[in-house]
Amino acid sequence: MNNRSSLGSKLVASPYIVWSVLFIIAPLIFVVYYSFTDAAGNFTFENIMSLSKYAPTFLRSIWFGIVATVICLLIAFPIAYIISQKTEKVQRTLVMLVMLPMWMSFLIRTYSWMALLQDTGIINNLLGKLGIDPVHMINTSGAVILGMVYNFLPYMIMPIYSVMAKLDHSMVEACQDLGGNRLTVIRRCIIPMSMPGIVSGITMVFVPSVSTFYISQKLGGGSFDLIGDVIERQFQQSYNYNLGASISLVLMILILICMAVMNRFSGDEEGMVI
Amino acid sequence: MKKRIISVLFALIVALAPCTAAFAAEQSEIDALKGTKLYVYNWGEYISDGVDDTLDVNAAFEEKYGIDVIYDTYDNNEVMYSKLKGGGVSYDVVIPSDYMIERMIAEDMLDKIDFSNIPNYKYIPEQYKNLAHDPKNEFSVPYTVGMVGLIYNTTMVEEAPDSWTALWNEDYSNSILMFNNPRDAFAIAQSVLGMDYNNESPAAWRVAAELLKEQKSVSPAYVNDEIFLKMESGESAMGPYYAGDFLTMQENNPDLEFVYPKEGVNFFVDGVCILKNAKNKLAAELYINFLLEPDVALANAEYICYASPHTEVYSNPEYSFYQNEILYPEEGKFKTQLFLNLEPEILALMSTLWDDVKNHVPSTGNGNRAFFFGGETESVISDDGEAMTPEAKRYALYIGIFIAVCLAYVIFRYARKKYRENI
């Protein structure tokens, strides 16, 4: 009996296992292989050693990623809370509205931001009509971060919302019964209980923000080189798979470290709930 | 409108024309190719495709020979090269630029073309044959030629520029565009410095990289085809690009003008080649020959807007760009240089220097501007990379503060928990 069910579960899991071996494990092995070999296929540490010159790019990417993630969190948390307070029908509509932009290609949306933000763009034209001096927005670090926040915001809202929608309301009521005002209820009850959503939201925004490359090229005018741009160039322009792979490897390790720290942090928080 | 009617006429002519050319291959061999597939890899927007009543070249070829054309596009030579080199794809026909043709010949990626199957090769004039990248002209057939120049918006510049140094002019900060690929960007710096584009001296490339870093003080936007949007909408004052594309932009914004800077410009030839592992070589040769049919070449020249190396096209008074001064300037009027393949070490150096340029953040003062424009020759070349720029230090500081705050919060929570447990 036990045997059969484990066979069944293996069968059910097999498509995913095959998928992940082919498209996750195997590419990872290639990344590691290329990182430690030179063009001729000999073992070398040279790629990894040469990465120190990209330190400024790494730092810039991580900082932009942190800023975008924090802004996303600040915007997404109230939105998710408000949505979860509505009736089910309204909730469904609002969630659809959050997802709506994702029906269109990410590339096209980013390209459109370029037309919106440029000096002769729609926003500056409107400002001009209102008699306000044009603001230089395109090709600034602000524009890059705006692009990240805009593109990755739904990934923050959705996990927080889905946790909040399933919150045990008796907990919230208990908190209110014990004399907590609205702020206390949010601070001591809702935030700790929605921590799993917040953590996965942070992961889902931070990881793509750090490794993005298209946004920085279009909205940053290519002047805010992020680590994703460098990696893309190694593969597409320079045909230097070895350097590209080693940058990717280091980036992956950095992100893994960040995630491990985050998970520690959240585990600690959940412990505080009760 | 005139253009359209002409194209319709040509479409008819092509459809009706009997097979006039004399191929070395037997008619039966050609017939045997019916139903086979031909894989073509070309630049985007680089063939007349039937939009707006133009001639659909691939469809016309399919109709004439019964060979299916599988057509893919790329947006630069390097992407094409990486795709082919990375394996997993197989094409018959590619259309790389000069220096890439030379590189692919050197790496044994191209197959010799059997010119006896390409009788229309007679339309290519001597001046475009046997160029340095393919000295015996065995591997490529010129498809388009062109030059790079400076596009500017007459309403935004005070006086018409005639030099590449305009791209370093601080009066136009934030509205200057620059090539987002190393080879073309370096060529501009090399022109300013009076260097050879195919310089083999690493020191010379470093000097050019310094000049490109210097340009960061005018905050150029590094663009590829976004240049169309930025120039046509009047967003940017000037930017370097290909002459043929300027004509397209000018149709949408008549304020735009074009100049070939006096320091010299890049002259390029894109050639049709057959890959070594081509599975359908005879069909590939038929295709190349078909591209050289005078009416097909004319339709392509009208569509692409680049100069054509085809005698029957540029000497045809019906052609929209007949004797156009930008596409077909007098020979020898402007200084031009061809890109050639670079040694692997120089290519690798160019890539790292380009990473440095993209990464560079200008210091607030205009420090060594004088070095390049004041004519001094003292060396200020730094070694590769900049370990920690002030900007990087700032980001490191921010990240450090962020982590410290997070840590402090966690420790505070932990301490409070312990404290409360003890009560």
Side-chain angles (χ1 to χ4, degrees), chain A residues 163-176:
Chain A
V163 170
M164 278 182 174
K166 293 190 196 77
L167 270 191
D168 186 353
H169 260 274
S170 53
M171 285 284 206
V172 179
E173 280 158 21
C175 192
Q176 285 163 341

Side-chain angles (χ1 to χ4, degrees), chain B residues 41-196:
Chain B
Y41 201 25
N42 191 3
W43 295 77
E45 310 260 319
Y46 221 43
I47 195 163
S48 179
D49 62 358
V51 170
D52 289 344
D53 298 333
T54 54
L55 170 68
D56 186 339
V57 172
N58 286 331
F61 177 78
E62 286 176 344
E63 196 169 320
K64 188 165 177 184
Y65 293 103
I67 298 168
D68 285 335
V69 178
I70 319 283
Y71 188 80
D72 284 323
T73 61
Y74 51 86
D75 42 39
N76 68 54
N77 284 306
E78 284 68 24
V79 169
M80 185 265 315
Y81 174 83
S82 300
K83 265 265 181 67
L84 293 177
K85 202 72 177 169
V89 292
S90 110
Y91 290 98
D92 299 305
V93 176
V94 282
I95 309 189
S97 305
D98 31 43
Y99 68 98
M100 192 49 83
I101 294 175
E102 191 186 0
R103 184 173 180 186
M104 290 169 81
I105 294 173
E107 297 182 16
D108 201 24
M109 293 168 75
L110 299 181
D111 213 354
K112 281 189 186 169
I113 297 173
D114 181 356
F115 281 92
S116 62
N117 283 334
I118 306 183
N120 288 338
Y121 188 56
K122 63 176 185 251
Y123 295 123
I124 305 291
E126 286 306 316
Q127 75 207 73
Y128 297 122
K129 287 180 182 167
N130 309 328
L131 293 172
H133 61 272
D134 187 6
K136 289 189 216 146
N137 227 112
E138 296 170 311
F139 296 92
S140 65
V141 174
Y143 181 62
T144 52
V145 296
M147 282 152 71
V148 171
L150 184 60
I151 303 169
Y152 59 95
N153 188 324
T154 46
T155 60
M156 294 174 79
V157 295
E158 275 166 33
E159 53 183 307
D162 65 341
S163 154
W164 285 124
T165 54
L167 292 171
W168 275 259
N169 187 340
E170 286 185 349
D171 295 343
Y172 304 115
S173 281
N174 288 325
S175 58
I176 285 174
L177 303 177
M178 189 63 183
F179 274 118
N180 196 12
N181 78 69
R183 197 73 204 258
D184 283 314
F186 270 98
I188 291 174
Q190 287 162 332
S191 303
V192 170
L193 296 165
M195 288 174 181
D196 191 326

Side-chain angles (χ1 to χ4, degrees), chain B residues 377-403:
Chain B
T377 49
E378 205 180 323
S379 171
V380 293
I381 309 312
S382 57
D383 47 356
D384 291 10
E386 302 157 55
M388 285 302 262
T389 58
E391 192 216 13
K393 282 186 192 145
R394 207 171 64 231
Y395 288 134
L397 182 70
Y398 293 158
I399 297 170
I401 293 174
F402 180 80
I403 293 172

